[in-house]
Amino acid sequence: SAVISQKPSRDICQRGTSLTIQCQVDSQVTMMFWYRQQPGQSLTLIATANQGSEATYESGFVIDKFPISRPNLTFSTLTVSNMSPEDSSIYLCSVASTWNTEAFFGQGTRLTVV
Amino acid sequence: AQTVTQSQPEMSVQEAETVTLSCTYDTSESDYYLFWYKQPPSRQMILVIRQEAYKQQNATENRFSVNFQKAAKSFSLKISDSQLGDAAMYFCAYRSPNYGGATNKLIFGTGTLLAVQP
């Protein structure tokens, strides 16, 4: 299994500001994903981070709000832009090494917007 | 589109007893993967068990086993000899096979919060 380091683990931010979350993996992985888990809810996929190209966003999520970078096979960032209290959630990075293996998760970033 | 349903928001079990968590799903695909993930208060999502739809044999991992009923689209998790450390939120998840460039994304159920009573 991959070891995933996600930073920060938590943050409290002012509305209107932006926060960048980092995801570092200890080995090269094919797939990297960003999920959102709203309070008391399940996980929803935001986007697939593609190495060297634009991320693939799910319905309801847009690049202007959640810009994603993936400069190499071990690192990705998710930015939550122009935050509002509705963005208060846990954001999780997930990786998979090949198409047919299970996904592993980082410990998540708990974001509170005030 | 695929959906995953967990009809038990909360469950409770006595330590050392057995508990079964339910999960149903809807799909038109014949080949897919199913997973159970555990999320303790630390927020870390931990893979508990996986099942490939083409395998008829139910997956087993130590005290954890599944009852996979493909025709009924049911995928329940049985935890035997429950321990205090099993207390967590449990999520059932579905993943399509990688045909035609489909992503490896997971579709999650709403979760079941399991409490273990000493």
Side-chain angles (χ1 to χ4, degrees):
Chain A
S1 64
V3 176
I4 304 166
S5 174
Q6 192 173 330
K7 296 179 181 179
S9 61
R10 62 177 62 226
D11 207 342
I12 301 173
C13 300
Q14 296 291 322
R15 66 178 67 198
T17 63
S18 298
L19 175 71
T20 296
I21 303 167
Q22 299 180 357
C23 179
Q24 178 74 55
V25 191
D26 68 339
S27 60
Q28 292 187 347
V29 292
T30 306
M31 311 292 292
M32 294 185 79
F33 308 90
W34 289 98
Y35 287 84
R36 181 176 74 181
Q37 186 178 21
Q38 294 178 300
Q41 303 295 316
S42 186
L43 284 75
T44 301
L45 182 65
I46 297 171
T48 301
N50 300 310
Q51 192 261 330
S53 64
E54 190 171 290
T56 304
Y57 289 84
E58 298 297 304
S59 176
F61 298 96
V62 296
I63 188 172
D64 289 347
K65 177 67 176 178
F66 298 101
I68 288 170
S69 77
R70 189 177 175 192
N72 55 52
L73 292 177
T74 64
F75 185 79
S76 178
T77 66
L78 167 73
T79 299
V80 186
S81 303
N82 188 24
M83 289 183 285
S84 67
E86 291 70 34
D87 294 321
S88 297
S89 294
I90 296 171
Y91 293 86
L92 296 109
C93 171
S94 175
V95 306
S97 58
T98 67
W99 290 109
N100 293 316
T101 60
E102 55 267 29
F104 298 95
F105 287 81
Q107 75 273 30
T109 296
R110 183 183 293 276
L111 170 62
T112 302
V113 183
V114 297
Chain B
Q2 296 83 18
T3 59
V4 178
T5 301
Q6 293 178 251
S7 59
Q8 305 156 316
E10 298 182 11
M11 292 283 284
S12 182
V13 63
Q14 290 292 128
E15 198 174 4
E17 296 295 308
T18 296
V19 64
T20 298
L21 308 184
S22 300
C23 173
T24 59
Y25 58 93
D26 188 29
T27 183
S28 58
E29 297 172 321
S30 59
D31 191 20
Y32 46 86
Y33 301 86
L34 296 167
F35 304 88
W36 279 98
Y37 280 89
K38 168 185 176 182
Q39 187 180 41
S42 67
R43 304 194 306 267
Q44 179 76 54
M45 292 286 285
I46 302 166
L47 177 66
V48 175
I49 201 165
R50 65 176 278 173
Q51 175 80 44
E52 292 87 348
Y54 65 86
K55 291 186 177 179
Q56 292 186 332
Q57 186 174 7
N58 289 324
T60 298
E61 289 287 341
N62 301 313
R63 298 183 294 108
F64 299 88
S65 62
V66 299
N67 184 4
F68 173 49
Q69 301 290 328
K70 191 173 184 179
K73 297 179 182 176
S74 171
F75 182 60
S76 61
L77 174 70
K78 185 172 79 171
I79 306 174
S80 304
D81 185 24
S82 296
Q83 301 175 358
L84 295 177
D86 294 333
M89 181 72 84
Y90 286 81
F91 291 99
C92 178
Y94 173 102
R95 205 199 83 206
S96 295
N98 180 35
Y99 297 152
T103 67
N104 194 4
K105 72 176 184 181
L106 293 166
I107 299 169
F108 287 89
T110 51
T112 297
L113 182 62
L114 177 66
V116 181
Q117 307 299 330

